[in-house]
Amino acid sequence: QVQVVESGGGLVQAGGSLRLSCVASGTSFSSYNMGWYRQTPGKQRELVARITRSGNTNIADFVKGRFTISRDNAKNTVYLQMDSLKPEDTAVYHCNVQRVILGLTNLDVWGQGTLVTVSS
């Protein structure tokens, strides 16, 4: 099974920045679709940003203009650059790895998550 490891979370003041990293093992990283999701108690898990194997990105409206997703295939890594952080961004952020072939998902792996806490 593909191993997914997130890092970069921590405590930051409102208005500050963090960069989350997600490293996925395997020899087919360039074929993976990668996404960042976040979850807080009592709320549904929500998509923050996603990047496909071709480099196309989707970013949630509530973080547009503040967050950027990118990938470095040579390092098997996807990044989430978070700027102008707000207290409402506080959540556990999870990295998701998917591979889709002919419209069917044959790989779906989640990391353990990294906690981001934004203080006011």
Side-chain angles (χ1 to χ4, degrees), residues 79-100:
Y79 303 98
L80 184 67
Q81 178 66 44
M82 304 185 294
D83 298 319
S84 301
L85 282 162
K86 304 175 180 179
E88 52 263 43
D89 294 320
T90 296
V92 176
Y93 286 72
H94 294 269
C95 181
N96 174 247
V97 178
Q98 289 187 330
R99 185 173 62 205
V100 180

Side-chain angles (χ1 to χ4, degrees), residues 61-78:
D61 289 340
F62 52 83
V63 296
K64 281 184 178 178
R66 300 190 296 119
F67 291 10
T68 303
I69 189 169
S70 62
R71 66 190 297 160
D72 186 340
N73 290 343
K75 297 181 178 180
N76 283 12
T77 302
V78 64

Side-chain angles (χ1 to χ4, degrees), residues 15-38:
S17 297
L18 287 172
R19 188 179 73 164
L20 306 184
S21 298
C22 173
V23 180
S25 66
T27 61
S28 300
F29 181 84
S30 62
S31 71
Y32 300 156
N33 300 319
M34 310 283 292
W36 287 99
Y37 296 74
R38 70 187 188 186

